Each structure stands twice: as structure tokens, then as C-alpha cells.
Amino acid sequence: MIAVTADRRAMGAALCAGAALGVVYSLSPLTTLCVALLAAMAQWASRGLSDRERRWFYGLLAVAVLLRMAIVAGLFLSADRTQPFAALFGDEQFFKNRAVWMRNIGMGIPVSAADFIYAFADTGQTSYLYLLAFVQALVGEAPYGVHVLNAAMYVTGVLLVYRLARQAYGRVAAMTGFATLLFFPSLLIWSSSALKEPAYTLVAVGELVCAVYVARGPRWWHRTLGVFGVIVGVVALESLR
């Protein structure tokens, strides 16, 4: 009887969790996907940590993610309803508008002639626009979801740096740098924006990881992949600029 009751409770909890996940996904698919990505990255980055270090790691990470979510939620709630969307910085309007126009053009949705011309204007052209357009073609328009996407990219970059620093300098230095990168005020706000810098940071960190593999890869194919990754990183950084 006790086992049956426990099974029912577990089934009920699973159903409630599934229903909650479905509601969240319907409200913001991009947020759901980004949180799942961060959870997977956090599990990878926490491998080999002591119990105490793991508690600090997950505590700092959870607070950092919640703060960024709160910033995005505050932006949404404080938006002027007479405008399509709000922005933390003026240049975000540039990226949000052009990415949506490019998405609409790619999906065959009519846009004005002026929007078509401006979407592909040479001024401010960057591969980041194509990234935003592609993501929103998959999940739908997400003028606030792109803030969550950028926060996820920045935090992923911080997790990669944390693993590198821990291997090279030890747990104290790595955790100190981890906290600094997550909570330094200007980086906190900037990484919650819709600007291209969080994507640039993630690509730069990925290139650094590849460079380390070139120098310290345990096998020849690790070093070969590292060289390939550095080349891809150089091209990607140039296109983002």
C-alpha cells in the first residue's frame, strides 16, 4: 500500500512538472530551451567538485541566472504598451527590428520596401543578426527571449572559463573569478541585453578552449580539432564584428 501511494505521488508530481513545463514553454519556448542548456552545462562544469564547492557553485549560478531573469522580466513588465517592445540600451532596437525583418523575409512574410532595404543595409551588418533571425524562425518572435538567449550564452562562456581556470589555478581562484564574472554590475546588465557582445564573448571563450587543446591536447586528434576550432572561432569573431 505504501509503495502504491508513493508511486501515485511520484506520478502526480511528474504530471504537475510536465504541465508546468508545458505552460512555460508555450509562454516562452526560447527561455525553456536556454534554461535546459544551462542546466546541462552546469552539470558538466560541476564534475569533480567537492560537496562544499558544488554547493557554492550551484548557489552562485542559481542566483546569477535568477537575477538575469528578473532583469528581463522587469524589462517586460515596465515596457510602454504603445511600443512593440522595450530595450535596455538604444542599440537593441536596431538588432531586434532588423532580425525580425530578416526572419520575415526568410519565411516569406511580407515586409515594407523600406524594411527590406534596411534589413540588409551594410551599416551595422553582423552575423549576429542572422543568428537572431534564425532562432526566431525556429521558436517564433522573441523580443524578450533574445535577452534570455544572450544571458545563457554569456553564462555558458563563464562556465567554460571556470573549468579552464580551475584546472590551471585551482578552486579558490576559479570560484573567485566565477563570482566576479557573474555578478560584476556592468557585466550583469550587459549580459542581459540584446546586444551582440554576449555572443562575441562565448565565441572568444570557445576559441580560447580550442587554443588550449592545441597546446595541451592529450591526443593528436584533440590538437587537430583544436586547430580547426581556432580557425572557426577567428572567422566567427570577424563575422560578429
Side-chain angles (χ1 to χ4, degrees), residues 25-147:
Y25 185 84
S26 64
L27 293 174
S28 180
L30 189 53
T31 297
T32 306
L33 295 173
C34 288
V35 171
L37 170 64
L38 285 177
M41 286 299 302
Q43 185 176 12
W44 169 81
S46 64
R47 293 181 306 171
L49 304 186
S50 65
D51 291 341
R52 182 180 181 184
E53 190 178 2
R54 184 176 285 104
R55 287 194 296 270
W56 275 99
F57 173 84
Y58 277 108
L60 291 172
L61 182 62
V63 173
V65 171
L66 288 175
L67 280 176
R68 285 164 172 81
M69 293 292 186
I71 291 172
V72 178
L75 183 66
F76 172 75
L77 295 174
S78 63
D80 182 354
R81 300 307 174 188
T82 64
Q83 302 296 322
F85 45 74
L88 289 171
F89 305 101
D91 286 348
E92 290 176 346
Q93 300 281 355
F94 167 88
F95 289 114
K96 289 184 177 183
N97 283 327
R98 288 184 66 172
V100 169
W101 295 334
M102 293 171 71
R103 165 192 175 269
N104 290 345
I105 293 168
M107 298 180 69
I109 300 173
V111 299
S112 69
D115 291 347
F116 185 94
I117 294 172
Y118 191 57
F120 298 100
D122 291 337
T123 302
Q125 192 61 250
T126 167
S127 61
Y128 177 63
L129 290 170
Y130 291 90
L131 172 64
L132 294 186
F134 176 74
V135 169
Q136 293 181 89
L138 295 177
V139 302
E141 288 190 36
Y144 299 101
V146 297
H147 291 264

Side-chain angles (χ1 to χ4, degrees), residues 44-54 57 158-178 216:
W44 169 81
S46 64
R47 293 181 306 171
L49 304 186
S50 65
D51 291 341
R52 182 180 181 184
E53 190 178 2
R54 184 176 285 104
F57 173 84
V158 173
L159 291 172
L160 292 172
V161 170
Y162 170 75
R163 289 301 301 185
L164 284 180
R166 191 177 185 277
Q167 294 171 5
Y169 303 109
R171 60 185 182 180
V172 175
M175 192 64 71
T176 301
F178 185 62
R216 302 179 182 176

Side-chain angles (χ1 to χ4, degrees), residues 147-226:
H147 291 264
V148 180
L149 173 64
N150 274 6
M153 288 193 290
Y154 178 81
V155 173
T156 298
V158 173
L159 291 172
L160 292 172
V161 170
Y162 170 75
R163 289 301 301 185
L164 284 180
R166 191 177 185 277
Q167 294 171 5
Y169 303 109
R171 60 185 182 180
V172 175
M175 192 64 71
T176 301
F178 185 62
T180 301
L181 290 174
L182 288 178
F183 296 107
F184 195 77
S186 60
L187 295 178
L188 174 63
I189 299 298
W190 162 77
S191 64
S192 305
S193 73
L195 301 175
K196 64 181 179 180
E197 280 74 16
Y200 196 91
T201 298
L202 177 59
V203 174
V205 171
E207 187 176 7
L208 174 62
V209 171
C210 291
V212 171
Y213 267 90
V214 172
R216 302 179 182 176
R219 294 179 174 85
W220 68 267
W221 58 269
H222 286 149
R223 295 189 289 272
T224 302
L225 288 176

Side-chain angles (χ1 to χ4, degrees), residues 199-205 207 232-241:
Y200 196 91
T201 298
L202 177 59
V203 174
V205 171
E207 187 176 7
V232 172
V234 169
V235 174
L237 288 176
E238 179 62 28
S239 69
L240 284 170
R241 293 180 63 186

